[in-house]
Amino acid sequence: MRIVSKKPLFIRLAQPTYGAYLLKRNHVEPVGMEQLLALQPPFLVIGNHAHTMDSFIVSSASPVHIRWVAGAYLFKLFGLRPMLERWIGAISKQQGRSDLFTIRAIGDALKQGDIVGLFPE
């Protein structure tokens, strides 16, 4: 039996409430998400980015906590930075250029045994 890393309190509260609403509202039927439980962390979750809400929808359906790589511009929006850093554990990424900070942050997260999600574009 594998021990699943504990989800942050914000995620544990938001997933059954807002997360369930988000899945129902967008007519999303999560299929195969239980396979994430069979994998031994650390690992990467890589997906195709089609919508702004992709990371929210995947996290709502996921049985494990995923630390998403998010655009640095989101960390500059009023009130969003504390939520992204402390509540969700997101990793900042500068768009359009090589970002050594992001590479190191992803490496550190994987060394800590976290699950990191990204949408390579």
Side-chain angles (χ1 to χ4, degrees):
M1 182 88 179
R2 184 175 80 72
I3 298 173
V4 178
S5 63
K6 189 174 180 181
K7 293 182 183 184
L9 177 62
F10 175 76
I11 301 297
R12 286 184 283 149
L13 294 174
Q15 193 172 28
T17 55
Y18 179 69
Y21 165 77
L22 189 63
L23 294 174
K24 185 175 180 176
R25 172 79 167 91
N26 291 292
H27 308 288
V28 174
E29 183 66 36
V31 176
M33 294 301 280
E34 66 280 353
Q35 293 177 2
L36 292 175
L37 288 171
L39 298 173
Q40 186 67 30
F43 59 87
L44 292 172
V45 174
I46 300 174
N48 186 19
H49 200 10
H51 192 274
T52 306
M53 299 295 285
D54 287 342
S55 58
F56 296 104
I57 292 171
V58 172
S59 291
S60 297
S62 174
V64 295
H65 176 59
I66 302 170
R67 291 187 59 190
W68 290 99
V69 176
Y73 69 93
L74 294 172
F75 288 80
K76 295 176 184 168
L77 297 175
F78 178 76
L80 198 53
R81 183 181 191 122
M83 185 173 78
L84 288 171
E85 287 179 342
R86 292 186 214 131
W87 295 358
I88 299 173
I91 299 169
S92 174
K93 163 69 177 107
Q94 291 291 331
Q95 282 81 10
R97 63 185 171 117
S98 179
D99 189 358
L100 188 58
F101 170 78
T102 302
I103 295 168
R104 286 186 179 151
I106 291 171
D108 290 343
L110 292 172
K111 285 178 187 172
Q112 294 172 8
D114 292 336
I115 300 164
V116 178
L118 57 111
F119 296 107
E121 301 165 355

